[in-house]
Amino acid sequence: MPVTASEGDCPFCVRLAGNRDLITNNHLCAAFFDATPLNPGHVLVVPRRHEADFLALGAEEHAAILGMAVELRALLDERYRPEGFNLGVNIGEAAGQTVGHAHLHLIPRYAGDVSDPRGGVRWVIPERARYWDETQ
C-alpha cells in the first residue's frame, strides 16, 4: 500500500480538522485510538501539521508529541492496566509507513500477548530479531 501523499487524501488530517474522537489535543498535536489496534489502548499521537517524515518535524513538535505520549501513559495505565509499552514510528514505505502523516504509535503490552516478547521492536525484521541466539 503506497503512503498517502497530500493533506487532501490524508485520513489523519481529516480527523484532526473535524476534531473527531480525539483523546487529547493541543495546538501542535493530538491523539486518538488506532483504527486497527494491535492491543487494547493502542493510540496514535500525530502532529497537527501535515508532514510525512517524523524526523522532519521541528523540535517543538517532537517535544509536544513525546510529552503527550507521557501524559497518555497515565490514562492508559488507569484504563487498561498494561504491563509495558512499545513506542513506534515508521518513516517511508520501506519501513512500513502506510499513512503519509507522521505519527507515534503508543502500544500497550500485556503479559502473554505474544509468546516471547524479547527483542520488542526488533521484530520489524523477524529474521534478525533473535539476536540472543547469535550471541551465546
Side-chain angles (χ1 to χ4, degrees):
M1 171 184 285
V3 174
T4 55
S6 68
E7 287 183 60
D9 64 353
C10 176
F12 294 172
C13 287
V14 170
R15 197 163 186 176
L16 291 169
N19 287 318
R20 290 196 349 239
D21 303 316
L22 303 182
I23 301 167
T24 187
N25 71 98
N26 61 39
H27 71 287
L28 290 173
C29 61
F32 45 81
F33 288 106
D34 192 292
T36 55
L38 293 174
N39 267 338
H42 180 170
V43 170
L44 301 180
V45 184
V46 303
R48 289 197 170 275
R49 180 170 67 93
H50 182 82
E51 167 59 56
D53 184 345
F54 189 88
L55 294 177
L57 297 172
E60 190 177 7
E61 290 166 307
H62 284 141
I65 289 166
L66 189 55
M68 187 171 283
V70 170
E71 292 172 18
L72 286 163
R73 178 188 182 160
L75 173 96
L76 297 174
D77 279 344
E78 182 180 319
R79 189 179 297 178
Y80 296 98
R81 306 259 188 252
E83 285 88 8
F85 288 91
N86 286 114
L87 299 178
V89 175
N90 304 317
I91 301 170
E93 288 183 53
Q97 185 176 8
T98 57
V99 176
H101 189 123
H103 54 286
L104 173 72
H105 292 262
L106 177 58
I107 305 167
R109 296 301 304 273
Y110 303 92
D113 63 2
V114 297
S115 61
D116 185 356
R118 288 184 296 170
V121 298
R122 297 181 63 85
W123 285 99
V124 299
I125 302 178
E127 297 78 21
R128 298 182 192 155
R130 296 180 60 88
Y131 66 91
W132 53 89
D133 287 344
E134 297 176 20
T135 58
Q136 295 176 5

